[in-house]
Amino acid sequence: MGFEEMEPLFGQLKAEWSATHRTSPLETFLFLVGVLPNDPSTLHIQVSDFHSNTWEALMSHNQLEDMRDSIGIGGPWSDFVEYVIASIKSDNLKLAMEGETKSEGAAYAKLIAQKAKGMPLVSISLVKLVEADASEAMANFSLELYKAYKNMHISLINEQKRSCQLTKIIAAEQEKNETLQKQLDTILFSKKKKFEKMSENTSDGVSIRSSQDSPDKQAAQTTASTKVTNRVVPAYRRAKVRGVLLQDSEDDA
């Protein structure tokens, strides 16, 4: 990764006088950090309050290498680039100004950045711009701000469109799931009713057989059968012996 791959950085930074005797109030300062369109290897820094203080710095690859050595960041080049970007994005970024000019504003300024307290300082000396150069720098600053705003606006619209599409997809999926759930509930309810009906029929059949096969019922049937088998036929219903048995009698002889 190099600075040429970096998106332009914008932001507000704290400005302060280096000399303790200066007490004049300071305007709000904005900064722009990017690369030159015709030379992506050169880091371009602009700082302005859009009044009487506009500053600029152009740092070539060789100058950046020297700054890397002075800071003392080893390792690959990408580590140095990441550290500088992180320092510029941090809350520890400030503009230190000193000296007076015949016109309004300071004579010298430095952009000082630090990723975190206790870590190496990134210090970049700035050149003061006046008259036409200052006007051109502020115009470029404004144009870059507008481009950044335009890109963010387009990105926001695209995100809103994607969000709307996702919302529609989610709503359609929810409706589909609700329909499937209703169909499933109907099928389960039908099967439950069918199972309950089968259970009732099975229970009735078992109840009838149990009643028929109960011990008391069987005992009653056995007793009745025994009574029928052992019942004595009444005398009046017995078969009558017809005729008289004739036999010889000694008296008749």
Side-chain angles (χ1 to χ4, degrees):
M1 176 183 176
F3 288 107
E4 61 273 9
E5 301 172 10
M6 177 186 68
E7 293 291 330
L9 300 177
F10 298 91
Q12 182 178 344
L13 74 165
K14 296 176 289 185
E16 59 185 32
W17 290 105
S18 296
T20 56
H21 66 276
R22 294 300 301 265
T23 58
S24 59
L26 295 170
E27 301 288 344
T28 298
F29 281 83
L30 300 179
F31 71 88
L32 164 63
V33 178
V35 295
L36 290 178
N38 57 348
D39 185 6
S41 64
T42 299
L43 191 64
H44 187 203
I45 301 167
Q46 289 181 322
V47 179
S48 180
D49 62 357
F50 294 88
H51 288 281
S52 56
N53 288 288
T54 299
W55 308 86
E56 184 180 59
L58 295 173
M59 300 194 71
S60 66
H61 183 80
N62 291 335
Q63 290 174 318
L64 290 170
E65 284 281 12
D66 293 339
M67 185 174 72
R68 179 189 180 191
D69 293 336
S70 64
I71 293 174
I73 297 179
W77 175 256
S78 59
D79 289 350
F80 168 68
V81 173
E82 289 177 5
Y83 183 80
V84 172
I85 293 175
S87 298
I88 294 173
K89 288 181 176 180
S90 73
D91 295 332
N92 299 314
L93 179 68
K94 67 179 182 179
L95 178 68
M97 299 187 300
E98 61 180 339
E100 294 184 24
T101 60
K102 294 180 180 180
S103 60
E104 267 189 278
Y108 311 100
K110 282 185 178 181
L111 187 68
I112 300 175
Q114 189 177 30
K115 184 176 181 180
K117 290 183 178 180
M119 299 188 73
L121 285 174
V122 175
S123 180
I124 302 173
S125 297
L126 303 173
V127 177
K128 187 175 180 67
L129 301 178
V130 295
E131 298 179 355
D133 291 336
S135 297
E136 183 179 352
M138 285 187 282
N140 176 70
F141 205 123
S142 300
L143 180 60
E144 291 296 329
L145 281 172
Y146 175 74
K147 288 179 181 179
Y149 161 76
K150 192 71 174 179
N151 291 335
M152 290 182 64
H153 182 65
I154 293 173
S155 297
L156 178 60
I157 292 175
N158 292 334
E159 286 296 327
Q160 288 176 339
K161 288 180 179 179
R162 282 194 290 268
S163 177
C164 183
Q165 290 174 352
L166 287 174
T167 301
K168 291 180 180 179
I169 292 173
I170 291 172
E173 288 295 326
Q174 288 178 341
E175 184 178 356
K176 182 179 178 180
N177 290 339
E178 289 175 359
T179 302
L180 291 174
Q181 186 63 46
K182 288 179 181 180
Q183 293 175 352
L184 180 61
D185 291 342
T186 302
I187 293 172
L188 292 176
F189 181 77
S190 176
K191 287 186 176 181
K192 182 180 178 182
K193 281 294 184 181
K194 186 176 180 180
F195 177 77
E196 290 177 351
K197 187 174 181 180
M198 291 176 62
S199 298
E200 290 176 358
N201 293 338
T202 303
S203 299
D204 293 343
V206 171
S207 177
I208 293 172
R209 287 196 299 273
S210 298
S211 176
Q212 292 176 348
D213 298 338
S214 63
D216 294 341
K217 186 75 174 180
Q218 291 178 355
Q221 290 176 352
T222 302
T223 302
S225 176
T226 302
K227 288 182 178 180
V228 171
T229 303
N230 298 330
R231 187 173 57 186
V232 179
V233 178
Y236 68 87
R237 294 183 60 185
R238 296 174 187 169
K240 296 181 179 181
V241 178
R242 297 182 180 276
V244 177
L245 179 62
L246 297 178
Q247 62 180 2
D248 293 337
S249 173
E250 294 180 357
D251 294 340
D252 294 335

